[in-house]
C-alpha cells in the first residue's frame, strides 16, 4: 500500500484544541446566505489567540466552508468552528442577481448531458480557442455585478437566466 492510500485523510471540519478568541489572517472573505450561514468565498487562516494576544492555534479556511464563529468571538476547546464538503470546490455567488452565461457554447465549451434519472448535467469542456467561459451576475438593468471564470470540468448547478442569492452554489 502506498501513495494516496497511505496518506492520512484530512477531516472536513475544524475542531479547536484551545480556548481563546478567533482572529483571521491572510484576509479570508465570506458571505452570509439567506439562512444566516457564513460561507468562505476566499481562503485565509482562522487563528485562536489567548488572553496575552499570542497565537496558540491556526487553521486554513477552504472555499465553501461554513463558519460558526467569526472574528472576535470567544471559542472553547473541542468546539467545531468550520465544516465543508471535501469532495467539491464550489463557485459561490457573492451578490444576488440574474445569471448570464459568457463564452459557454454547446459542443465547444459546454457539454449538455441528460442522465438516466432525467436530470440534465451541464459541464464546462476543455477547449483551445480564445474563449473564456464564465458566469456573470447582472442586475435588473443588465449591469454586471460580479463574474466567475469557470475551469474545465466545472459542473454548472443552474441554468442561464436563473436568479441567484448571496451564498448560492453556482458551479
Amino acid at each position: 500500500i502506498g501513495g494516496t492510500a497511505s496518506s492520512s485523510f484530512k477531516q472536513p471540519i475544524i475542531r479547536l484544541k484551545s480556548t481563546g478568541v478567533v482572529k483571521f489572517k491572510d484576509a479570508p472573505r465570506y458571505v452570509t446566505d439567506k439562512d444566516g450561514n457564513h460561507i468562505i468565498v476566499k481562503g485565509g487562516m482562522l487563528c485562536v489567540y489567548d488572553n496575552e494576544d499570542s497565537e496558540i492555534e491556526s487553521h486554513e479556511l477552504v472555499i465553501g466552508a461554513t463558519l460558526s464563529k467569526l472574528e472576535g468571538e470567544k471559542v472553547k476547546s473541542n468546539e467545531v468552528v468550520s465544516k465543508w464538503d471535501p469532495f467539491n470546490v464550489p463557485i459561490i455567488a457573492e451578490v444576488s442577481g440574474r445569471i448570464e452565461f459568457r463564452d459557454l457554447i454547446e459542443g465547444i465549451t459546454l457539454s449538455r448531458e441528460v442522465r438516466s434519472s432525467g436530470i440534465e448535467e451541464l459541464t464546462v469542456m476543455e477547449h483551445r480557442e480564445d474563449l473564456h467561459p464564465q458566469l456573470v451576475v447582472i442586475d435588473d438593468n443588465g449591469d454586471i455585478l460580479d463574474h466567475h471564470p469557470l475551469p474545465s470540468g466545472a459542473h454548472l448547478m443552474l441554468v442561464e437566466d436563473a436568479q441567484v442569492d448571496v451564498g448560492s452554489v453556482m458551479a
Side-chain angles (χ1 to χ4, degrees), residues 6-43:
S6 66
S7 69
S8 63
F9 176 72
K10 182 169 171 45
Q11 293 296 315
I13 63 171
I14 296 175
R15 183 181 305 274
L16 300 178
K17 298 176 186 124
S18 312
T19 297
V21 176
V22 170
K23 291 190 181 180
F24 293 141
K25 281 189 353 191
D26 301 331
R29 196 169 67 235
Y30 63 90
V31 295
T32 305
D33 70 10
K34 62 184 176 187
D35 297 325
N37 298 310
H38 308 296
I39 305 165
I40 296 292
V41 293
K42 178 185 173 274

Side-chain angles (χ1 to χ4, degrees), residues 37-53:
N37 298 310
H38 308 296
I39 305 165
I40 296 292
V41 293
K42 178 185 173 274
M45 299 294 287
L46 179 143
C47 303
V48 178
Y49 283 75
D50 64 11
N51 292 337
E52 284 80 46
D53 210 28

Side-chain angles (χ1 to χ4, degrees), residues 35-73:
D35 297 325
N37 298 310
H38 308 296
I39 305 165
I40 296 292
V41 293
K42 178 185 173 274
M45 299 294 287
L46 179 143
C47 303
V48 178
Y49 283 75
D50 64 11
N51 292 337
E52 284 80 46
D53 210 28
S54 298
E55 183 181 312
I56 51 177
E57 191 174 335
S58 67
H59 301 274
E60 184 179 357
L61 293 170
V62 298
I63 294 172
T66 57
L67 291 171
S68 61
K69 295 290 183 175
L70 300 178
E71 180 129 12
E73 293 189 274

Side-chain angles (χ1 to χ4, degrees), residues 68-92:
S68 61
K69 295 290 183 175
L70 300 178
E71 180 129 12
E73 293 189 274
K74 293 181 180 181
V75 290
K76 298 176 184 169
S77 66
N78 211 30
E79 186 172 2
V80 174
V81 294
S82 183
K83 296 180 181 182
W84 63 91
D85 178 353
F87 303 107
N88 290 304
V89 178
I91 296 174
I92 300 165

